[in-house]
Amino acid sequence: MRKRNSTKASGANDALFGGACLVAIIALGLCSSPAEAQEKAGPEVAFNAAAASDYVFRGVSQTESDPAVSAGVDVTQGLFYAGAWAGNVSFAGDADTDAEIDLYAGVRPEFGGFNWDFGVVSYFYAGQPDGADYDYVELKAAASRAVGPATLGTAIYWSPDFFGAAEDKATYAEINGAISPADKWTLSAAVGRQWVSSDLDYTAWNLGAAYQLTDHLALDVRYFDTDEHGFGDAYGSRAVASLKAVF
């Protein structure tokens, strides 16, 4: 992310907004139909860990092109899901912020021939300088469906108070697709546009291939780029290799 320098303190408001959304989605999950509850007596829990040559978020390096490690946990109960994820970060001109922690929850219904995902994501940054106000919340709506051998999807995220100290609303919209041309191989790509009310808009895209090494371990090699290299080195083109384990 590109940091902004104006001052304000709305982290508490972000936390309250995110907390209210999380509580609402959890309530939806707990109110799932009796038939669904009978199908699955308890929640499914999955853990993940990854190592990568860079951490890129929407085309922008979050580690100044340095390696990244991360870990997370996901809990699924019927249509409802929730999870947490954490990884290292490093921003230019900021020697203090060293980690990102994400909390998220949502529901994944199926209707109209599409798989839907409605949720909320809260982003928190450990060690951030006073007044930075990096923490923010996004609401998410996504849909995908199989089209022949491929899966096509779209997603939109909206934040009432985006990353940084300026009072910026932000929207990110993306289209994506994936196809498995051979056993254990997946090719995927995405194009997205980030709109920020302080005129830091940019377009990002990525293209890559993943190979399933084992049932629990996958290797991904991906190219990222944006149309705003002038925003800084973090917005430049880059190739990233990552190894992710799910168990």
Side-chain angles (χ1 to χ4, degrees):
M1 294 292 181
R2 190 184 188 193
K3 302 187 295 296
R4 299 184 292 280
N5 297 320
S6 58
T7 58
K8 78 178 186 68
S10 65
N13 291 334
D14 288 346
L16 287 172
F17 178 77
C21 293
L22 287 168
V23 168
I25 291 174
I26 290 171
L28 276 173
L30 293 176
C31 293
S32 57
S33 68
E36 290 174 352
Q38 290 175 2
E39 288 177 8
K40 293 185 178 182
E44 297 180 358
V45 181
F47 298 90
N48 65 79
S53 59
D54 194 352
Y55 167 27
V56 180
F57 179 71
R58 297 176 186 169
V60 182
S61 174
Q62 306 294 289
T63 55
E64 297 186 275
S65 301
D66 288 336
V69 293
S70 62
V73 59
D74 294 282
V75 181
T76 305
Q77 174 73 60
L79 302 180
F80 168 74
Y81 69 89
W85 178 93
N88 63 293
V89 296
S90 176
F91 302 130
D94 176 359
D96 299 320
T97 308
D98 55 11
E100 174 187 333
I101 302 97
D102 302 344
L103 301 177
Y104 50 88
V107 290
R108 294 191 179 112
E110 295 181 22
F111 59 87
F114 289 86
N115 296 314
W116 299 86
D117 184 344
F118 302 104
V120 60
V121 187
S122 292
Y123 304 83
F124 303 96
Y125 293 86
Q128 61 182 283
D130 292 341
D133 194 24
Y134 293 164
D135 301 345
Y136 67 102
V137 176
E138 287 186 319
L139 300 181
K140 170 188 178 182
S144 64
R145 69 177 299 168
V147 179
T151 299
L152 301 179
T154 185
I156 187 165
Y157 297 78
W158 178 79
S159 175
D161 180 14
F162 198 48
F163 178 95
E167 293 190 55
D168 286 340
K169 295 180 175 65
T171 302
Y172 179 77
E174 178 185 280
I175 56 173
N176 53 68
I179 189 169
S180 181
D183 185 39
K184 298 184 180 181
W185 285 94
T186 301
L187 303 178
S188 60
V191 178
R193 178 73 175 173
Q194 180 78 67
W195 292 276
V196 184
S197 58
S198 60
D199 297 326
L200 293 176
D201 302 350
Y202 68 95
T203 299
W205 57 91
N206 69 77
L207 173 67
Y211 181 72
Q212 197 71 33
L213 298 169
T214 71
D215 289 343
H216 302 285
L217 188 65
L219 173 67
D220 186 280
V221 178
R222 190 161 301 275
Y223 173 80
F224 295 89
D225 205 354
T226 76
D227 68 340
E228 290 291 356
H229 294 185
F231 282 176
D233 292 341
Y235 290 77
S237 58
R238 66 196 68 243
V240 177
S242 63
L243 194 63
K244 183 176 182 178
V246 178
F247 47 93

